[in-house]
Amino acid sequence: MASGTIAAVVFDWGGTLSVWADVDMEDMWRLAARHLAPDREDELVAALVRVEARSWERVRTDQRSTRLADVLVEASDELGVDVVSAVLEEAVAHHLDSWTPHVRHHVDAEPVLRQLRATGRRLGLLSNTHWPA
């Protein structure tokens, strides 16, 4: 490519290539809480919902990314119990399942990516999601 030519394009995934989906994660958190301590299910669900909401608020205000593990550590600290391993096991099994039915990509995303790739440009994808890589 000639000097000054764009060699690479980096996209944000959520809301740029995909249509933003506002998904209620309470069902997934309920499975995780039930796995950990059925007798404290409602308390754990409320804490997990609260902690996840705070993590997304940090994304919106500070542009700070977070990971699911970070959410679980914060919940453990808030509840005073170690929920990480039990909740993470259940969350990993169900977290993506909670989002997958809602993810739709913009109709022009694939043709634009194909066209950019065909012109020899490198493509990158960034996201502030806390999904696993």
Side-chain angles (χ1 to χ4, degrees), residues 26 29-30 33 36 40-55 71-72 74-81 83 87:
E26 186 171 332
W29 289 129
R30 187 159 299 284
L36 177 66
R40 296 180 61 198
E41 181 179 326
D42 291 338
E43 173 193 0
L44 295 175
V45 168
L48 289 164
V49 167
R50 196 170 46 251
V51 169
E52 183 175 27
R54 282 196 308 259
S55 76
V71 172
L72 297 176
E74 188 174 333
S76 293
D77 292 345
E78 183 172 308
L79 291 166
V81 294
V83 299
V87 174

Side-chain angles (χ1 to χ4, degrees), residues 3-77:
S3 178
T5 303
I6 296 173
V9 180
V10 178
F11 290 91
D12 176 49
W13 178 56
T16 303
L17 296 176
S18 66
V19 177
W20 177 256
D22 193 9
V23 177
D24 182 359
M25 297 299 290
E26 186 171 332
D27 290 340
M28 192 279 303
W29 289 129
R30 187 159 299 284
L31 288 170
R34 195 174 296 146
H35 179 90
L36 177 66
D39 58 323
R40 296 180 61 198
E41 181 179 326
D42 291 338
E43 173 193 0
L44 295 175
V45 168
L48 289 164
V49 167
R50 196 170 46 251
V51 169
E52 183 175 27
R54 282 196 308 259
S55 76
W56 284 112
E57 185 59 30
R58 284 190 297 270
V59 168
R60 283 188 289 278
T61 59
D62 302 339
Q63 301 300 305
R64 281 183 44 208
S65 187
T66 189
R67 298 174 303 136
L68 182 56
D70 298 331
V71 172
L72 297 176
V73 167
E74 188 174 333
S76 293
D77 292 345

